[in-house]
Amino acid sequence: MRHLPALIVVAPLLMAFVVAAGHWLRPRICYPVTLTALGVSFLSGLGMLLQVIDSGPIEYRMAGWPPPVGIVYYVDHLSALVATAVSGVALINLMSCSAPVKAEMRGKEGAFYSLYLLSVTGLLGIVITGDAFNLYVLLEIASLTGYALVGMGSARAAYSSLNYVLIGTIGACFYLLGVGYLYIMTGSLNMADIAKLLPPLYGSSAILLAFVIALSGLFIKMAFFPLHTWLPNAYSNAPSASASLMAPLMTKVMIYVMIRMVYTIFTWDFLAKATTMLADIVVWLSVLAIVAGAVFALAERSLKRMLTFIVVAEVGYMVGGAFLGNQTGLTGAILHIVNDAAMTLCLFMAASNIFYKRGSLDFKDLSGAIQEMPWSMSALIVTGLAVIGVPPTCGFFSKWYLLLGALEAGHYGFMAALIFSSLVNTVLFFRLIEATYYPPDPQGHGHGHDEPHGHHETPAMNEAPVSMVAPLVASTAGLIVLGLATSWIVTRVITPFVALGIK
């Protein structure tokens, strides 16, 4: 149990090299080895979460070196929760992706699984590291493998990946520059040590510049509107298995880093003393992100691109909640990290199932999908209800906390944006139901619902393989379980962190 913080990262890291070598010697071992490594990571994350709930935060010293000289992994309630979510999402997605990987990346399976493990390694390391520069290194691991995972897609994926590389590199450089200013001013890279050294420097313009530059870099990496331009093309052109890994995790981990930076390294007192306007500006930018993401999603005629703009809007939910400046809003933002990761996973896995059978995700090509793929489409519809915020799904509870936080802060613009987004999501998913319910007209005159009753045949069932459907259905049921477990998650996991972050 003492070595769980190391094991959660080391298991996928070492197995990535085993998979890369195994692909040349015995390709059949790639998938089971990857599955085993992620299973170990998930159990380690779950073990850390239970240990932190029971005994408090864990400090793991790499090679025995004490901080601030050595690098430490620091696991508190927030990082344990997010690490469990990251490893769980990665594991579930892997369970469902063996068939699409064979179909879309024939001959490159070993490279894909190796990159998959390295990407998860970087994301998990970001979540549990206690060193600001080590976080940058792990961020680059996650980013570089993410660029490669996107580039393994269709012909347009290479251009999307190049755009992602250019913009992502700018974001990483901004974060690194901010850390550099912090190091110059404090002489430390350990997050806890920086937090102790910063209060006397709160009035320094260099510290304010470090905060703004690092925050800007994170906004780019999380695709916070209007810095989102890399995301829609990257996720829509990426292979199905890559998109359903990155869409639920990459933006959420960056939001975690933002919360860690604002509430653990700089603390909310810094924002209150350094500038009273910045938090309010960020919340209004979040309002813009929510509205713009919803409107852009409404304009799309492809399921996958529609989902990418829903992700952009959801980023606005979490950023706005984190900057409301009260415990309720921060609770909603953290809870939505977990809930949105689960909902986005289900959305993109359902899209992967449809693409596997249909070869297209354009609305015009989805006629009759509900009859042909009842399990996948039912899961997609239930997930849509969660995204809208219908109880008892998890999406309702995190939105409820965000709305209460906005009401408590007196930020009615943020409240209106949340309600507007939910209404637009209702339109989006009802439009999807309409596009997929009616069978295609054999004469090519559109949907068959204008014909007299009984004049068209119900399409034969043509569902995705069980290996893809079973994880999707289980994950969709998990959205309701997460909703019912909200009280436990908030009181036992989120509140201890939030109480320290905002007093």
Side-chain angles (χ1 to χ4, degrees), residues 278-363:
L278 184 58
D280 198 47
I281 290 171
V282 172
V283 177
W284 279 110
L285 287 174
S286 300
V287 171
L288 181 62
I290 294 169
V291 173
V295 171
F296 287 151
L298 198 59
E300 289 297 332
R301 291 297 179 267
S302 166
L303 173 59
K304 205 170 187 180
R305 284 189 64 86
M306 184 190 87
L307 298 181
T308 63
F309 284 108
I310 289 177
V311 171
V312 172
E314 298 285 332
V315 169
Y317 286 28
M318 292 170 275
V319 174
F323 276 86
L324 285 173
N326 54 54
Q327 292 189 4
T328 308
L330 182 57
T331 297
I334 295 172
L335 184 61
H336 205 66
I337 289 177
V338 178
N339 292 349
D340 190 55
M343 292 187 295
T344 307
L345 171 67
C346 293
L347 289 174
F348 276 82
M349 283 201 303
S352 176
N353 288 13
I354 297 169
F355 183 78
Y356 183 81
K357 299 303 294 187
R358 289 295 187 101
S360 172
L361 289 173
D362 292 340
F363 287 159

Side-chain angles (χ1 to χ4, degrees), residues 463-475:
E463 186 58 87
V466 175
S467 63
M468 298 177 69
V469 173
L472 172 60
V473 171
S475 301

